[in-house]
C-alpha cells in the first residue's frame, strides 16, 4: 500500500483510501501522526538551526531541555542522558557503557528478545533465525528465560549486564511478574552486574505508565528508549547515573561518539511529545482504552488477548489463520500486524490519542475481517 498523508490515527492513500493505524509504525506514533504541537516544535527549530557539531561538543538548547524533561520523568538516580539516533544505537551504547563501567565481559539477555538489528544488539537478541546468517557475533552472550526464576542463578560475578525488555514485544507481549523483576534486580546487585531495561517499545506511556518499569517497583541501572520518544522523528537515548556515564569521559577521552545523536529537530519534537503526553493526560487514559479493545474483540477465532496497557497481542490458532485476517482488515481500512517471534498473534498498539469511537470502529472492522475470512 502507498501512503500519501497521515493525520492523527489515520493514514491516507493516493486516492483518499483511509486506514486506521493500529500499530503506530511499530510503537512510534504514540501521540499520533503529525500532532500539531510536534509540527510546531519542528518548525520552530527549523527556523533556528539544524546540525551544528558532533553531539556533545556544543551546548544545544533542544538537547538540554529534552534531557531535563526526561530526567524529570525518572527516579533521581537516573540523571544522565546520552542521545543517539535509534533504539539499536541506544542498545549499543548501553552495552559499551556496562562493559566499560564494570570491567566485565559477560552479557545476559532473554530468549525471543528483540533489541535491534545492528551487530551488538543482534548479538543479544534471543532468536537464532535472525542471527545465524551473521555469526560470529559478540562472544560471552547467554540467553535466559524471560520471567524464569531458575535461570537467575546463571548470572554470576563475571557479568557486565543483564539486558531485558521490560515488556517483551516481538515475543508477542509477554509480561513477567513483579516478584521476578525484583528478584532480577536483587541478583544483579549481588553480583555487581548492571540491569539494563529496554523500553524502546514499552516506554513513553504505551503501558499506562510513562516507563513500564514503574509497574514493577524497581529501578534499572540503565534505561534505553527510542520509538515513541520522537513523535515520529528519529531519536533514541540511554540513560544512567552520572557516575556510570562518567566512565565515557576518559581512557579513551571520547568513550562514545555520535555525529547526529540528539539532532536538534528530533530533540525539539521529543520534548513536545513529552509535553503532549503530560498535558493531554494521555497516559491516564491507556488502561480504559485497552479495556475497551478487550471488551469488544470477542470471537470464537480469538483465543485470548495479552496486554500491558496498549501493547496488545490478540491470539489466534496459527499464522495461517491470522494472516488472511490481517490482509482483509487492511482492505477494510484497519492496519494491524503480527510479531517477529509470535506469528499467531495480532499486534495492536495504536496511537495513544485514539478515541473511544475510533476503537469501536476499528474493532468492528477486525471482527468483520474475521467473519469474511471464515
Amino acid at each position: 500500500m502507498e501512503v500519501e498523508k497521515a493525520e492523527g490515527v489515520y493514514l491516507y492513500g493516493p486516492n483518499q483510501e483511509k486506514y486506521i493505524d493500529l500499530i503506530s509504525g511499530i510503537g512510534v506514533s504514540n501521540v499520533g501522526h503529525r500532532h500539531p504541537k510536534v509540527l510546531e516544535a519542528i518548525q520552530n527549530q527549523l527556523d533556528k538551526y539544524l546540525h551544528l557539531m558532533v553531539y556533545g561538543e556544543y551546548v544545544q538548547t533542544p538537547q538540554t531541555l529534552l534531557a531535563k524533561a526526561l530526567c524529570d520523568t525518572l527516579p533521581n538516580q537516573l540523571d544522565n542522558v546520552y542521545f543517539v539516533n535509534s533504539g539499536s544505537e541506544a542498545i549499543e551504547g548501553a552495552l559499551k557503557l556496562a562493559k566499560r563501567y564494570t570491567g566485565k565481559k559477560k552479557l545476559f539477555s532473554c530468549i525471543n528478545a528483540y533489541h535491534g538489528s545492528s551487530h551488538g544488539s543482534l548479538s543479544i537478541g534471543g532468536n537464532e533465525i535472525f542471527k545465524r546468517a551473521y555469526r560470529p557475533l559478540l562472544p560471552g552472550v547467554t540467553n535466559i528465560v524471560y520471567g524464569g526464576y531458575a535461570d537467575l542463578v546463571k548470572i554470576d560475578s563475571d557479568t557486565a549486564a543483564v539486558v531485558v525488555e521490560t515488556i517483551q514485544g516481538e515475543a508477542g507481549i509477554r509480561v513477567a511478574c513483579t516478584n521476578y523483576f525484583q528478584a532480577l534486580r536483587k541478583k544483579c546487585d549481588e553480583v555487581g552486574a548492571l540491569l539494563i531495561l529496554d523500553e524502546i517499545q514499552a516506554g513513553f506511556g504505551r503501558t499506562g505508565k510513562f516507563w513500564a518499569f514503574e509497574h514493577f517497583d524497581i529501578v534499572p541501572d540503565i534505561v534505553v528508549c527510542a520509538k515513541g520518544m520522537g513523535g515520529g522523528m528519529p531519536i533514541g537515548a540511554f540513560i544512567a547515573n552520572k557516575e556510570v556515564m562518567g566512565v565515557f569521559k576518559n581512557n579513551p577521552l571520547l568513550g562514545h561518539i555520535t555525529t547526529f545523536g540528539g539532532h536538534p529537530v528530533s530533540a525539539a519534537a521529543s520534548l513536545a511529545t513529552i509535553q503532549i503526553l503530560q498535558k493531554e493526560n494521555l497516559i491516564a487514559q491507556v488502561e480504559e482504552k485497552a479495556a475497551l479493545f478487550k471488551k469488544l474483540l470477542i470471537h470464537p477465532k480469538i483465543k485470548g488477548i495479552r496486554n500491558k496497557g496498549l501493547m496488545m497481542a490478540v491470539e489466534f490458532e496459527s499464522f495461517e489463520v491470522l494472516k488472511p485476517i490481517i490482509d482483509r482488515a487492511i482492505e477494510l481500512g484497519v492496519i494491524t500486524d503480527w510479531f517477529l517471534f509470535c506469528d499467531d498473534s495480532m499486534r495492536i498498539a495504536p496511537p495513544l490519542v485514539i478515541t473511544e469511537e475510533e476503537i469501536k470502529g476499528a474493532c468492528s472492522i477486525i471482527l468483520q475481517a474475521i467473519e469474511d475470512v471464515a
Side-chain angles (χ1 to χ4, degrees):
M1 58 180 282
E2 181 180 351
V3 178
E4 189 170 85
K5 185 180 178 182
E7 195 88 41
V9 300
Y10 296 101
L11 306 183
Y12 298 90
N15 298 309
Q16 289 304 298
E17 305 95 328
K18 185 177 181 181
Y19 307 91
I20 300 176
D21 180 7
L22 288 190
I23 55 176
S24 304
I26 314 299
V28 169
S29 303
N30 283 15
V31 297
H33 297 280
R34 301 180 66 252
H35 191 289
K37 292 294 184 183
V38 173
L39 297 184
E40 181 183 1
I42 290 170
Q43 185 60 58
N44 287 341
Q45 185 55 43
L46 288 176
D47 290 338
K48 295 174 182 176
Y49 56 82
L50 302 180
H51 174 73
L52 297 180
M53 181 57 173
V54 172
Y55 176 54
E57 295 292 328
Y58 299 159
V59 176
Q60 297 185 44
T61 299
Q63 297 169 352
T64 305
L65 293 176
L66 175 57
K68 175 64 166 61
L70 278 171
C71 290
D72 285 347
T73 70
L74 287 160
N76 290 337
Q77 56 266 52
L78 293 170
D79 62 0
N80 237 242
V81 182
Y82 197 112
F83 291 121
V84 290
N85 303 289
S86 68
S88 273
E89 190 181 331
I91 288 289
E92 298 287 344
L95 295 179
K96 284 178 63 179
L97 184 60
K99 286 184 170 184
R100 179 72 179 83
Y101 180 76
T102 64
K104 303 172 185 178
K105 299 178 181 178
K106 291 172 67 173
L107 298 166
F108 284 84
S109 58
C110 293
I111 295 168
N112 281 342
Y114 181 79
H115 297 289
S117 196
S118 55
H119 198 81
S121 59
L122 186 63
S123 298
I124 61 167
N127 190 287
E128 183 59 27
I129 292 172
F130 278 76
K131 296 163 71 168
R132 65 169 64 112
Y134 305 101
R135 291 193 177 278
L137 296 167
L138 287 181
V141 176
T142 300
N143 290 142
I144 57 177
V145 175
Y146 174 82
Y149 291 90
D151 275 359
L152 297 183
V153 70
K154 299 177 182 178
I155 303 167
D156 60 19
S157 59
D158 294 323
T159 304
V162 182
V163 189
V164 178
E165 294 168 277
T166 315
I167 311 298
Q168 278 203 309
E170 297 310 316
I173 314 303
R174 310 293 174 172
V175 186
C177 67
T178 298
N179 287 344
Y180 169 77
F181 276 108
Q182 293 184 349
L184 174 62
R185 173 72 276 180
K186 182 180 178 182
K187 183 66 176 181
C188 289
D189 289 339
E190 288 173 352
V191 302
L194 298 190
L195 176 58
I196 301 173
L197 290 184
D198 177 340
E199 299 246 351
I200 293 168
Q201 285 196 49
F204 279 72
R206 174 62 50 192
T207 68
K209 301 280 189 183
F210 196 99
W211 302 101
F213 68 77
E214 296 177 66
H215 293 285
F216 306 110
D217 196 25
I218 61 164
V219 179
D221 298 296
I222 305 173
V223 63
V224 177
C225 54
K227 287 191 180 290
M229 177 180 180
M233 293 293 286
I235 191 170
F238 56 101
I239 306 167
N241 67 41
K242 189 174 182 179
E243 177 189 345
V244 173
M245 198 75 82
V247 300
F248 276 159
K249 290 198 264 185
N250 54 67
N251 296 323
L253 178 64
L254 298 174
H256 194 64
I257 305 171
T258 171
T259 297
F260 292 112
H263 190 281
V265 176
S266 292
S270 182
L271 178 60
T273 297
I274 294 174
Q275 293 168 343
I276 292 161
L277 289 171
Q278 294 170 338
K279 292 179 181 178
E280 296 188 11
N281 205 32
L282 293 176
I283 299 174
Q285 301 168 24
V286 165
E287 285 296 339
E288 185 178 348
K289 291 176 180 180
L292 183 56
F293 272 107
K294 294 172 78 173
K295 176 184 177 182
L296 296 174
L297 289 178
I298 297 175
H299 191 279
K301 293 286 185 183
I302 295 174
K303 304 301 181 184
I305 298 178
R306 299 181 298 277
N307 81 296
K308 195 68 172 175
L310 286 172
M311 281 183 81
M312 312 188 79
V314 183
E315 185 178 350
F316 291 81
E317 183 178 336
S318 66
F319 180 71
E320 288 70 28
V321 171
L322 173 60
K323 181 58 164 59
I325 293 169
I326 289 173
D327 292 343
R328 180 58 180 152
I330 292 172
E331 291 174 357
L332 295 172
V334 167
I335 299 171
T336 65
D337 193 10
W338 63 95
F339 300 89
L340 286 178
F341 312 138
C342 183
D343 64 8
D344 65 359
S345 296
M346 175 186 289
R347 184 197 307 267
I348 293 182
L352 307 188
V353 296
I354 194 169
T355 66
E356 180 178 311
E357 288 306 309
E358 288 164 343
I359 292 171
K360 289 178 179 177
C363 290
S364 176
I365 289 174
I366 290 171
L367 294 174
Q368 182 62 54
I370 294 173
E371 285 297 313
D372 289 354
V373 170

